[in-house]
Amino acid sequence: MESAYWIVAGLLAAFYLYAGGKKAVQSQEQLAPMMGWVDTVPMWLVRAIGGVEILGAAGLVLPPLTGVAPVLAMAAALGLLVLQVAAGALHLSRGEVRETGLNAALIALAAGAVWLA
């Protein structure tokens, strides 16, 4: 079970470090081609979402790795699950049904991390 957690957590952490890092540092013009929703959301909120994703990635990995408050890994996974449910709802509200596949996969991985943590 521990190996399964590290595989799932590693995949999620890598994805969220990449996606969150892009949201945290790139301009709206740079993000718009791959994330069409950034033109409808204030840039401070895009940056905040990026920060949450980076913190979530750290929360998946650091507590179990250090042994300090490992229950925080479950909280981080649950937070990322909620974030993806909201992201899926945003895509559906914009009529972007095709874009929800990635959201569904990330929801499944985050649910797995919650269960395995």
Side-chain angles (χ1 to χ4, degrees):
M1 290 289 264
E2 188 172 337
S3 296
Y5 173 79
W6 282 111
I7 291 167
V8 171
L11 289 170
L12 282 171
F15 175 82
Y16 283 113
L17 279 175
Y18 174 75
K22 288 183 93 50
K23 290 178 189 109
V25 299
Q26 288 189 338
S27 70
Q28 189 173 22
E29 294 78 25
Q30 291 172 311
L31 292 172
M34 69 165 54
M35 300 174 201
W37 57 271
V38 298
D39 59 351
T40 61
V41 177
M43 205 54 200
W44 66 266
L45 186 55
V46 174
R47 301 260 188 253
I49 292 168
V52 166
E53 290 176 345
I54 292 168
L55 289 173
L60 287 172
V61 175
L62 293 178
L65 191 64
T66 63
V68 177
V71 72
L72 291 178
M74 183 185 298
L78 190 57
L80 293 172
L81 186 138
V82 170
L83 179 73
Q84 282 308 309
V85 168
L90 174 70
H91 285 300
L92 289 174
S93 73
R94 292 173 46 95
E96 301 169 341
V97 177
R98 278 190 279 161
E99 282 78 2
T100 59
L102 178 60
N103 299 116
L106 291 171
I107 288 168
L109 284 173
V114 169
W115 183 66
L116 292 167

